[in-house]
Amino acid sequence: MKLGIIGLPNVGKSTLFNSLTRLNAEVANFPFTTINPNVGIVTVFDERLEKLSKVISHEKLTYTTIEFVDIAGLVKGASKGEGLGNKFLSHIREVDGIIHVVRCFEDKDIAHISGNVSPVDDIEVVNTELALADLEYLERSLTKVEKLVKGGDKKAILERDLLIKIRDNLNKLIPIRDIVFSNEEKEILKNYFFLTIKPILYVANVSENVCNGIESLREKVKRAKTELIEVNCKLELELSELSEEESKDFYKELNIKESALKRLVNSAYRLIDLITFFTVKEPEIKAWPIVKGTKAVEAAGKIHSDMMRGFISAEVINWEDLLKIGSWADARQKGALSLEGKDYIVKDGDVIQFKFAV
């Protein structure tokens, strides 16, 4: 999973990135400190994997990971090349989901690009630029599809109608993710690289001096049917520099139940509709993230293309049931493993061994 951290300049994107990844991306009080994206890979702790490791023989334990990309600040006019313009937008096209950081604190020592802290106005600037970039990309695509329609390509008619439908919504600043599509339309969309189709969650960068507009931001995000995570990015960065034991004590003292990383990971999984299945083939116990609704044969392909190509069957057991039994061999002996075919829909927490032949 690859998540892009975006927002206006000087809102705390790199500070959040550093707190999540424990890297040292440059942070400064002026626009475009970040030019080329900073990239950091973070291990996603899963207590289920930890528990399985206590009873299943293994030499290696492999968690899932998230790749965070700290992308340069966007400004009004980016879709027309202002600021870092198209370079910024191209980096967003490469991620699976968007974390939009919004400044929600007052600090006269940290400049705001418009001179006034207004969270709702700030996200409107970013969302408008993403919609305008999609419109420009759409118009180029529509020109090509129209030529196919004139040439008698019947399949192109549906594609043209779909692009017109999207254009009508984007002109009203309705992001593509909020448009309802048929299954046939969804298949066509897989060939496109729109920005506003990407799932998005918002991070309100707060401090002791929370700005007046945060309540309006909460209401706007709620209407958008996504999530808002309120994070003191500066504090999280300071805590990330402590040992695990020290940070736990501080979180408890500050009455913070979970770190920003854990909250973001949980939200990101919901955002992209991810679940996790496990494999316990010696010498490794491994967690695999997949999209909810993935079939067994597709999950096998996540491990290796040969497994998908030569898929025979999948032996499946829930992780809690395997934990109680204690070993894969005992689970097989007790008849606790279910034998599933290609079309089995993998469930969160399934432990699977695939049979295949190539």
Side-chain angles (χ1 to χ4, degrees), residues 129-157:
E129 291 305 322
L130 298 183
L132 290 172
D134 275 351
L135 275 169
E136 186 179 333
Y137 170 59
L138 183 147
E139 292 294 351
R140 292 198 305 270
S141 302
L142 189 56
T143 300
K144 294 176 184 176
V145 173
E146 290 281 14
K147 290 179 182 177
L148 295 175
V149 172
K150 289 177 181 177
D153 188 332
K154 292 182 180 179
K155 290 182 179 178
I157 295 173

Side-chain angles (χ1 to χ4, degrees), residues 14 92 94 102 128 150 182 242 253 266 274 345:
S14 295
I92 302 177
E94 298 169 4
V102 189
T128 298
K150 289 177 181 177
S182 67
L242 303 176
E253 186 179 325
N266 291 338
L274 291 180
I345 303 298

Side-chain angles (χ1 to χ4, degrees), residues 120 213-225 228:
V120 170
I214 193 166
E215 191 55 47
S216 297
L217 176 65
R218 290 171 183 146
E219 291 172 6
K220 184 173 181 63
V221 171
K222 187 177 180 180
R223 288 196 301 272
K225 296 179 181 177
L228 176 69

Side-chain angles (χ1 to χ4, degrees), residues 299-323:
K302 292 287 182 182
I303 300 173
H304 200 287
S305 58
D306 285 349
M307 285 190 173
M308 186 173 184
R309 186 159 52 91
F311 183 95
I312 298 172
S313 63
E315 289 183 309
V316 184
I317 186 171
N318 177 267
W319 76 277
E320 288 182 304
D321 294 333
L322 180 58
L323 195 63

Side-chain angles (χ1 to χ4, degrees), residues 187-204:
E187 284 301 311
I188 295 172
L189 275 172
K190 289 179 181 178
N191 299 315
Y192 287 88
F193 301 95
F194 289 111
L195 300 174
T196 64
I197 199 170
K198 295 181 184 295
I200 188 168
L201 67 87
Y202 293 93
V203 170

Side-chain angles (χ1 to χ4, degrees), residues 95-115:
V95 302
D96 301 307
I98 296 170
I99 299 171
H100 185 165
V101 182
V102 189
R103 177 171 168 175
C104 294
F105 64 89
E106 300 283 359
D107 189 331
K108 59 181 174 55
D109 294 326
I110 299 177
H112 187 283
I113 196 161
S114 70

Side-chain angles (χ1 to χ4, degrees), residues 19 32 47 108 119 156 204-205 214 221 268 271 290 300 308 318 336:
S19 71
F32 309 119
E47 63 178 11
K108 59 181 174 55
N205 185 7
I214 193 166
V221 171
L271 180 75
I290 54 171
M308 186 173 184
N318 177 267

